[in-house]
Amino acid sequence: MAVDPEIGFTADVIRDPGRFVGRTELLRDCIAALNSATGLISVYGKRGVGKSSLLRQIQQMALGEYTLAKRAGLTSEIPARPRKYLTVYYACDSLIRDGKELISRLVNDQDAEDGLLRLVPNDGKDIVEFTRSKEVSGGADLKVLNWGAKGIESSKYAKTVPGDVVQTFRNFVSAVVDHQVHRRMRRDSLLIILDEFDVIQDKQGLGSLIKSLTTPEVKFAVCGVGGDLADLIADHASVERLIEQGVLAVKPMSLAESEGIIYRATELFRGAVRFAPGIASKIAGMAQGYPYFVQLIGKQCVNEMNARGTDVIDDEIFDAIVQGLKTGKAFPTLETAYQRAIGGSDGRQLLLHLLAEQSSEASFTDEIGRVVLKNSRTVAEELGVQFVDQVMPRLVEAKYGPVLERVEQGVYEFVNPVLRQYIRLRGMN
Ligand SMILES: Nc1ncnc2c1ncn2[C@@H]1O[C@H](COP(=O)(O)OP(=O)(O)O)[C@@H](O)[C@H]1O
Ligand SMILES: [Mg+2]
């Protein structure tokens, strides 16, 4: 019988604590940050390293669900009476110009499980408790079942102030804190989690806005792509005193953690799938610290296993996946991005591979992922790419990805490190 690969592997953000692997040090920092009365939590790192998944675990712990932390051996870090929250989760997008627009989005967000509006008390709205995890101890949150006959616009307990969205937000939040956080759920505070925070166009003023809205009863967590807090909040100096504990840099996973994803999957499959010795470590090696890749390769292995009618993923199956990867057949989503970037040009394809393969071991942290055009130019020309400067522009053009982002004259960065790793593993044919 075919095994559903999704039982053990997923390409989605990890919400279920039972699927979350590793990150023990980060979880330790999260516990400390959640349990300090004030303070901003900031999470940053490269695309695809696992930021959003960590955020969803922060949300769980905020609700009082600490099973994951306990399993990670962090029981002693959990206070006897942990601070408990109700939570709001919002993913920003690049149409949000500035802090004001962000606030306006928040006060209008109708998501039934994650939105701020769901918590604003009003007549006729049907709000029920629910848990975000399968754990029996799961900390309860609130969701809206029914917005009520009057629809979602009017609310009796919180005043909308025309033309002043920040004041409206304050009113909403204070009604939420009063009625839901304190009275109904007997929690300490409201946690507002903002993912993809880096895409907000004008980052100036976000720091002082967050500072002005942070109280012992309202905490913010912001998350996005970046190398440090300044990539998320331009005026980060204004939140300096809020961030003593909550600065969480998510780095690529260690080999052991990547292997851990395979072992966890094996547990989730409950004996229906086995990996032959050595396979987990080969997959971890290919993934280069990007858990997304481990999940994708794992999934493909299960598909191939099903096709062969066995229950063991051995070298033969693994080699078939590697072969599929080399020929561009294994991962359609990455392949599409790849093809869009090279746009049918052999020269551009060659240049792209040369850039992807540049070693970045010489430099550390910040510099990781950067490539220098001139280091590949000579080789490219020797290999017959005649007009490097003509094939280059498509690689940085937004409508074709972009695959690369210009950092400074002649220096580029792969926008998506997962795609870079894909290019490295893919053959040139
Ligand atoms: N701790 C983890 N354990 C297992 N898989 C993970 C973990 N973190 C991330 N992943 C996998 O990697 C993928 C990318 O993670 P995500 O949280 O979306 O990254 P980011 O927000 O940094 O782009 C997820 O879809 C998930 O499959
Ligand atoms: Mg994310």
Side-chain angles (χ1 to χ4, degrees):
M1 257 246 306
V3 177
D4 178 4
E6 295 283 336
I7 293 171
F9 297 109
T10 175
D12 283 341
V13 170
I14 308 287
R15 292 161 178 261
D16 178 1
R19 284 172 171 254
F20 189 88
V21 174
R23 306 302 198 186
T24 306
E25 287 315 308
L26 286 171
L27 292 174
R28 184 195 306 273
D29 293 346
C30 292
I31 296 172
L34 281 169
N35 285 292
S36 79
T38 51
L40 168 69
I41 300 175
S42 64
V43 176
Y44 51 79
K46 299 209 180 266
R47 274 189 185 73
V49 286
K51 300 178 301 299
S52 299
S53 301
L54 182 68
L55 276 189
R56 287 296 185 180
Q57 306 312 314
I58 292 178
Q59 184 175 32
Q60 294 284 3
M61 293 192 285
L63 295 166
E65 171 49 59
Y66 278 96
T67 306
L68 173 62
K70 287 178 189 154
R71 204 179 47 215
L74 296 172
T75 308
S76 62
E77 311 280 327
I78 307 167
R81 192 196 163 283
R83 280 181 74 80
K84 285 196 183 178
Y85 300 77
L86 280 181
T87 66
V88 167
Y89 191 110
Y90 190 76
C92 305
D93 61 67
S94 58
L95 296 177
I96 300 177
R97 262 173 310 182
D98 53 20
K100 259 205 177 134
E101 283 196 10
L102 170 64
I103 295 298
S104 143
R105 289 291 196 87
L106 286 175
V107 296
N108 287 294
D109 181 26
Q110 295 168 24
D111 191 286
E113 293 190 0
D114 281 325
L116 175 67
L117 211 48
R118 84 187 198 282
L119 296 173
V120 177
N122 75 17
D123 278 348
K125 198 198 257 172
D126 209 355
I127 306 176
V128 296
E129 289 185 26
F130 81 113
T131 55
R132 293 176 184 273
S133 75
K134 293 193 212 79
E135 314 288 344
V136 272
S137 60
D141 206 335
L142 295 174
K143 72 174 173 189
V144 167
L145 279 189
N146 198 326
W147 292 92
K150 289 210 190 104
I152 46 179
E153 79 287 356
S154 69
S155 105
K156 188 180 160 196
Y157 302 97
K159 275 220 158 43
T160 302
V161 184
D164 190 345
V165 71
V166 174
Q167 192 52 47
T168 300
F169 177 81
R170 287 179 190 277
N171 293 352
F172 279 25
V173 164
S174 88
V176 168
V177 167
D178 250 22
H179 290 265
Q180 316 289 31
V181 174
H182 289 336
R183 230 176 287 167
R184 176 168 181 161
M185 301 298 281
R186 308 205 172 283
R187 302 280 164 91
D188 302 289
S189 177
L190 177 69
L191 178 66
I192 300 178
I193 302 168
L194 303 170
D195 199 1
E196 321 265 340
F197 201 70
D198 60 293
V199 304
I200 298 172
Q201 291 167 32
D202 181 4
K203 298 182 175 62
Q204 208 58 51
L206 289 175
S208 60
L209 179 68
I210 283 179
K211 187 180 167 200
S212 75
L213 298 171
T214 297
T215 67
E217 274 145 355
V218 185
K219 189 194 274 294
F220 284 85
V222 300
C223 172
V225 174
D228 58 32
L229 184 61
D231 288 335
L232 305 186
I233 300 175
D235 57 336
H236 55 100
S238 55
V239 288
E240 218 141 76
R241 285 174 49 204
L242 289 178
I243 54 169
E244 279 149 28
Q245 282 170 312
V247 185
L248 309 171
V250 186
K251 297 272 158 67
M253 280 187 164
S254 68
L255 284 171
E257 284 176 310
S258 293
E259 282 187 49
I261 295 178
I262 302 291
Y263 299 135
R264 179 64 52 83
T266 315
E267 289 166 23
L268 295 166
F269 285 122
R270 292 169 175 273
V273 175
R274 288 181 295 137
F275 283 83
I279 302 291
S281 119
K282 283 187 185 175
I283 295 175
M286 284 172 83
Q288 290 289 305
Y290 287 88
Y292 179 68
F293 239 100
V294 181
Q295 301 274 5
L296 278 187
I297 297 172
K299 224 187 215 182
Q300 283 297 64
C301 285
V302 175
N303 284 330
E304 186 68 25
M305 181 198 84
N306 283 332
R308 293 173 186 229
T310 99
D311 63 353
V312 185
I313 291 163
D314 54 12
D315 278 304
E316 225 172 275
I317 289 179
F318 177 75
D319 291 343
I321 303 307
V322 172
Q323 204 48 39
L325 221 164
K326 284 213 166 87
T327 51
K329 289 182 194 118
F331 304 125
T333 319
L334 291 165
E335 180 66 13
T336 306
Y338 173 82
Q339 293 295 347
R340 194 192 310 128
I342 62 178
S345 152
D346 293 346
R348 190 177 295 114
Q349 182 181 29
L350 177 60
L351 180 63
L352 185 58
H353 279 261
L354 289 172
L355 290 172
E357 273 151 30
Q358 273 191 21
S359 128
S360 44
E361 280 152 52
S363 42
F364 261 102
T365 53
D366 267 16
E367 308 300 322
I368 277 181
R370 300 214 168 150
V371 293
V372 180
L373 182 56
K374 91 170 152 28
N375 296 356
S376 294
R377 185 187 286 275
T378 323
V379 190
E381 282 165 358
E382 278 166 12
L383 291 172
V385 182
Q386 287 180 330
F387 307 107
V388 168
D389 294 309
Q390 283 175 25
V391 295
M392 195 61 193
R394 187 181 172 109
L395 299 178
V396 291
E397 227 176 283
K399 71 174 168 203
Y400 302 116
V403 173
L404 299 173
E405 213 165 46
R406 189 175 165 278
V407 183
E408 58 192 72
Q409 181 68 38
V411 181
Y412 299 85
E413 185 164 328
F414 275 82
V415 169
N416 182 355
V418 171
L419 181 60
R420 179 184 187 176
Q421 182 56 12
Y422 177 72
I423 297 167
R424 282 173 164 166
L425 296 169
R426 194 192 182 286
M428 287 253 290
N429 35 31

